[in-house]
Amino acid sequence: MTSVHQHLLNANFHSTRLKGKVAIVTASSEGIGFSIAKRLGNEGASVIISSRKEENVKKAMESLRNEGINVEGIVCHVSNADHRKLLFETAKSKFGGFDIIVSNAAVNPSVSPILETEEKVWDKIFDVNVKSAWLLAKEAYPELIKRGGGNIVFVASIAAYQPMNPLGAYSVSKTTLLGLTKAIASEIVHDNIRVNCVAPGVVATKFASAITSSEAGKEKSLSIVPMKRFGKPDEIASAVAFLVSDDASYITGETLVVAGGTYAHL
């Protein structure tokens, strides 16, 4: 990577592309979610961030406000119906509604071969990674109609295309999001609501530490990446910002793979 490119990635990006918009980003106190919230805020959107831990929400909110971003934060377990309701109510009470929802929350409570995965682990993965994503979209839909349209973005993974051993159940849950994106997009295309998905490659975050922390894991992970490096949260955030902007006005039902050239085909 050139020094100029690195500088651009590190610099705070500012534009008015999303001025006047309100965005909800789940699981956004750190990692990819935080970078998405930061990027949308730096492009002019007001942002609602959320996380399971209040201290993390407060820390992230303070960081974003120090950059001049109009942000509110709330504790939210996406699988909790009352928490989701409060998430939407906060957006309405603080900012009058919302135009963008980015479903980023995901779990992977166990690392094991798929046929050795415990049923309770499978249920937990699908409850959070798939069912909660579907419910967020379902519950956001009436509110987006009131706004005259909007955008929904699901955050999947390159594992949706190439299951990662030993992350089989997690990989399948992400494959499901590709189908969910297309199914919802086709149903609400005439409501001025676009639905898209981003499939990040392996990004060096705390969440991915199980496969990036060891030299063996790093070598195996990068063996399928032509760019031979891990992705950066900001690189995923810029893709999301594009998809929710008018620059992507003719794109819906698609998954944008941001994975350094990694082969992606079902």
Side-chain angles (χ1 to χ4, degrees):
M1 183 183 297
T2 66
S3 59
V4 172
H5 186 205
Q6 184 66 56
H7 172 73
L8 289 173
L9 283 176
N10 292 337
N12 288 334
F13 184 95
H14 289 276
S15 82
T16 58
R17 185 164 62 166
L18 299 177
K19 186 176 181 180
K21 301 296 184 182
V22 179
I24 294 174
V25 186
T26 63
S28 46
S29 64
E30 58 187 13
I32 290 174
F34 178 79
S35 288
I36 292 171
K38 180 179 176 180
R39 179 62 181 255
L40 301 187
N42 279 331
E43 293 213 23
S46 297
V47 185
I48 301 285
I49 64 168
S50 66
S51 174
R52 291 177 293 174
K53 296 182 179 179
E54 185 175 7
E55 61 189 74
N56 292 351
V57 173
K58 289 181 177 178
K59 183 179 178 181
M61 196 160 51
E62 181 181 355
S63 176
L64 293 174
R65 283 178 174 168
N66 286 340
E67 294 200 22
I69 293 172
N70 193 16
V71 60
E72 294 291 338
I74 187 171
V75 171
C76 180
H77 294 251
V78 291
S79 58
N80 183 308
D82 291 334
H83 284 203
R84 292 193 307 273
K85 183 178 180 181
L86 191 56
L87 186 67
F88 295 135
E89 288 179 349
T90 300
K92 288 187 282 186
S93 65
K94 297 293 185 179
F95 301 128
F98 57 91
D99 311 278
I100 298 162
I101 183 155
V102 181
S103 176
N104 176 60
V107 297
N108 186 55
S110 177
V111 175
S112 62
I114 193 165
L115 294 182
E116 295 176 19
T117 299
E118 294 183 23
E119 184 177 356
K120 64 181 181 180
V121 171
W122 177 277
D123 288 344
K124 177 71 173 178
I125 288 172
F126 275 80
D127 184 51
V128 174
N129 299 7
V130 180
K131 184 180 178 181
S132 294
W134 165 66
L135 285 170
L136 277 169
K138 177 181 172 68
E139 293 158 2
Y141 177 55
E143 299 303 324
L144 293 175
I145 290 288
K146 292 177 185 177
R147 299 284 277 192
N151 279 273
I152 299 170
V153 174
F154 297 110
V155 179
S157 168
I158 191 63
Y161 297 94
Q162 297 195 51
M164 293 183 178
N165 182 20
L167 306 177
Y170 172 85
S171 300
V172 175
S173 76
K174 293 299 187 176
T175 308
T176 308
L177 291 182
L178 309 188
L180 184 65
T181 297
K182 286 194 174 294
I184 298 176
S186 65
E187 288 187 4
I188 64 177
V189 67
H190 299 298
D191 296 314
N192 195 34
I193 301 171
R194 295 188 294 106
V195 185
N196 290 293
C197 185
V198 170
V202 181
V203 179
T205 63
K206 185 190 297 183
F207 187 84
S209 61
I211 55 175
T212 62
S213 56
S214 69
E215 280 304 313
K218 181 178 179 180
E219 184 177 347
K220 182 179 179 182
S221 299
L222 291 181
S223 66
I224 61 171
V225 184
M227 282 191 176
K228 297 302 176 189
R229 68 171 176 85
F230 294 129
K232 302 176 187 302
D234 288 352
E235 292 174 314
I236 312 307
S238 60
V240 173
F242 163 68
L243 287 173
V244 303
S245 77
D246 287 342
D247 287 335
S249 58
Y250 200 47
I251 300 175
T252 194
E254 299 295 339
T255 297
L256 183 56
V257 178
V258 189
T262 306
Y263 181 78
H265 188 75
L266 286 177

